[in-house]
Amino acid sequence: MVSVSDAQAIILNLVQPLDHQRDTEVVDLLVADSRILAVPVTSPLDFPHWDNSAMDGYAVRYEDVQHSSVNPAVLEIVEDIPAGYQPKSTIQPGQAARIFTGAVIPAGADTVVMQEKTRREENRVFILDAPKPQEFVRHKASFYQSGTQLLPAGIKLNAPEIAVLAAAQCSQLSVYRRPCVAIFSTGDELMTVDQPLQPGQIVDSNQYALAALVKQSGAEPILLGIVKDDPIALEKVIAHAVAIADIVLSSGGVSVGDYDYIDKILESLKAKIYIRSVEMRPGKPLTVATFPTPHSPLPTPSSPPLPTPHSPLYFGLPGNPAAALVTFWRFVLPAIKKLSGITEGWEPVFLKVRSHHELRSNGKRETYLWGKLHLIDGVYEFHQADGSQSSGNLINLAQTNALAVIPVGKTLIYPQEEVQVLQLSNG
Ligand SMILES: Nc1nc2c(c(=O)[nH]1)N[C@H]1C(S)=C(S)[C@@H](COP(=O)(O)OP(=O)(O)OC[C@H]3O[C@@H](n4cnc5c(N)ncnc54)[C@H](O)[C@@H]3O)O[C@H]1N2
Ligand code: MOO
Ligand SMILES: [Mg+2]
């Protein structure tokens, strides 16, 4: 049995990120949100593109107005400069231009006086207060210098990055393709949602939950359905899954029961098993394996050598519904993140919060208790879900958004004691 931290290190070490040449696609900016940028972006544009005004007011020469607090300057207005307009005049001593936010600073002017600090009389403006030199001028290239890196590869594109790319006129982008995650469930007792249940049968809820989690992670779920506890059927589906996916998730069949076949079949398919069980609760039986890398076509003299294809990573998740989800959040999600081309921040983030009530564990395995983070006076507090924390109970997992972690060796967290919490994105 490996510790949770060792399991995480082993898994992340096994993940080979998507290739920045082979595993990319070009998408329109409008559909690029949440995708991972595959190539760094530079722009030939400076930001701002030219000196412009940060205020509605008057563009002036600082030397004309520097004493205005004691002796208001009176300037002749020679031009009106709205945003989007190219100024025609050069501001001479004693002159000013009416200017608006975002408009180009005219030649000769170096400072903007905000409207509230002025008085207008027909064609003249009185400057009632001395500005600071260059005040309210947003200088060309002060936010970004053309030709330098605007965005690095390997970042997730959220609204701010999309705005930057739009401003830089990148209407199409190279992003990593979505990782393919094949999912199947194992068990003679499992039925689909629309099948009538006979005694002993239950619905294969794991497949639906895992598909939702995979989709939320930005990867593409490939649903392979329910497979009976039958070695021949299992071998067939596993061989197919590893041929088509970057990651394979099965649930069930990884414990020590007579019908738990997954590990034996992986061995017969020449997979290398790195993890068979983890010191955690729920989620003790967890199988992690890799398959031999498929042969890539030999490069011809005219074609460049192809990068090596991925060795698919196999997760045999435990069948108990809470165990399947907790192991996904703890181990599969970081693996998908690393695979997807994101260059950092794969590991789960733990918050230190206080617990509302006492939390208990048997102290033998790292224990994950599900519940909800509540904001009390601006401070997070963990509330354990009411009802059973059995890994067979999926009902009270609904409406939770966090997992409290009790380390090995600790059996009790007191009310108001600090506890580490893994915040879940479904909250
Ligand atoms: N003698 C031992 N028995 C068990 C051990 C052990 O160490 N020694 N470990 C227990 C733990 S912990 C877990 S977790 C489970 C893991 O079992 P498997 O991964 O082999 O899963 P199954 O036996 O196939 O099913 C377990 C449980 O989960 C239900 N299940 C399975 N698949 C689904 C699905 N797709 N959707 C909803 N529910 C599912 C299944 O009906 C069983 O109730 O083993 C313990 N036993
Ligand atoms: O890992 Mo199991 O989930 O403790 O029941
Ligand atoms: Mg079993």
Side-chain angles (χ1 to χ4, degrees):
M1 205 155 31
V2 297
S3 68
V4 172
S5 59
D6 284 353
Q8 173 178 296
I10 293 168
I11 290 165
L12 283 178
N13 208 27
L14 289 172
V15 177
Q16 243 186 300
L18 293 177
D19 184 87
H20 71 283
Q21 286 175 326
R22 186 190 56 196
D23 296 316
T24 60
E25 58 188 345
V26 173
V27 295
D28 284 346
L29 183 59
L30 269 176
V31 293
D33 58 297
S34 302
R35 302 300 297 270
I36 313 300
L37 193 59
V39 289
V41 174
T42 55
S43 174
L45 294 169
D46 288 321
F47 284 85
H49 310 324
W50 11 259
D51 291 357
N52 72 96
S53 176
M55 290 287 168
D56 300 320
Y58 294 87
V60 301
R61 299 162 63 97
Y62 177 71
E63 60 182 31
D64 284 354
V65 298
Q66 57 185 313
H67 304 301
S68 287
S69 303
V70 269
N71 187 17
V74 186
L75 305 171
E76 179 202 0
I77 298 160
V78 293
E79 195 173 4
D80 258 29
I81 311 174
Y85 171 90
Q86 177 67 46
K88 308 267 181 308
S89 40
T90 296
I91 305 301
Q92 307 292 341
Q95 294 183 338
R98 179 74 170 122
I99 199 162
F100 300 93
T101 307
V104 177
I105 302 284
D110 55 19
T111 301
V112 170
V113 181
M114 68 193 294
Q115 193 170 312
E116 292 87 333
K117 302 286 168 66
T118 64
R119 194 176 77 239
R120 176 84 181 250
E121 276 182 19
E122 295 172 348
N123 204 26
R124 293 179 309 164
V125 60
F126 290 71
I127 307 299
L128 306 178
D129 207 357
K132 295 191 191 94
Q134 308 194 6
E135 196 168 19
F136 300 131
V137 176
R138 303 189 290 210
H139 287 103
K140 174 178 160 75
S142 60
F143 303 161
Y144 167 77
Q145 184 108 45
S146 65
T148 60
Q149 184 172 278
L150 186 60
L151 292 176
I155 57 165
K156 189 169 181 181
L157 300 175
N158 291 315
E161 292 78 23
I162 297 283
V164 167
L165 291 163
Q169 298 189 302
C170 300
S171 57
Q172 298 215 308
L173 315 161
S174 178
V175 296
Y176 286 101
R177 67 172 173 81
R178 294 181 188 281
C180 293
V181 181
I183 306 170
F184 65 94
S185 300
T186 72
D188 287 353
E189 75 280 28
L190 302 178
M191 309 301 277
T192 61
V193 273
D194 45 5
Q195 288 172 310
L197 299 180
Q198 303 301 328
Q201 296 179 333
I202 60 167
V203 172
D204 163 24
S205 55
N206 287 351
Q207 182 126 206
Y208 292 88
L210 293 171
L213 289 172
V214 165
K215 233 190 260 171
Q216 284 165 19
S217 77
E220 188 81 45
I222 305 169
L223 303 186
L224 301 179
I226 299 166
V227 186
K228 295 274 181 216
D229 291 320
D230 163 23
I232 295 169
L234 283 166
E235 184 167 322
K236 208 169 138 195
V237 78
I238 292 175
H240 172 61
V242 298
I244 61 167
D246 302 300
I247 288 182
V248 178
L249 305 179
S250 62
S251 69
V254 287
S255 184
V256 295
D258 293 350
Y259 303 95
D260 293 336
Y261 293 121
I262 295 292
D263 285 17
K264 289 177 209 98
I265 293 166
L266 292 175
E267 279 159 3
S268 77
L269 287 170
K270 305 273 184 293
K272 181 157 185 209
I273 299 182
Y274 290 84
I275 297 172
R276 290 176 194 266
S277 62
V278 182
E279 209 176 3
M280 73 187 284
R281 184 170 175 272
K284 180 178 67 168
L286 171 73
T287 297
V288 178
T290 58
F291 283 79
T293 307
H295 293 295
S296 51
L298 286 174
T300 61
S302 57
S303 71
L306 291 165
T308 325
H310 289 108
S311 163
L313 185 57
Y314 189 98
F315 287 90
L317 305 179
N320 276 323
L325 293 201
V326 169
T327 47
F328 182 96
W329 282 314
R330 189 63 187 80
F331 300 121
V332 182
L333 193 53
I336 293 177
K337 282 189 188 163
K338 182 170 178 190
L339 180 87
S340 69
I342 295 179
T343 43
E344 56 185 27
W346 313 312
E347 292 89 353
V349 174
F350 293 96
L351 308 177
K352 283 182 183 167
V353 306
R354 56 178 199 225
S355 176
H356 180 67
H357 28 225
E358 70 172 37
L359 305 175
R360 287 195 175 270
S361 151
N362 66 11
K364 292 188 186 132
R365 293 187 259 151
E366 189 167 302
T367 298
Y368 288 70
L369 301 168
W370 47 96
K372 199 155 188 168
L373 281 173
H374 286 280
L375 261 184
I376 314 281
D377 294 336
V379 177
Y380 273 134
E381 198 172 73
F382 178 77
H383 292 230
Q384 186 178 335
D386 289 337
S388 169
Q389 292 270 331
S390 154
S391 68
N393 183 15
L394 52 72
I395 302 301
N396 68 348
L397 262 175
Q399 299 288 291
T400 61
N401 63 8
L403 298 170
V405 188
I406 306 184
V408 178
K410 195 160 171 86
T411 53
L412 177 63
I413 304 270
Y414 290 99
Q416 299 306 311
E417 194 183 331
E418 190 176 85
V419 65
Q420 297 243 47
V421 162
L422 178 59
Q423 192 170 16
L424 308 172
S425 54
N426 54 336

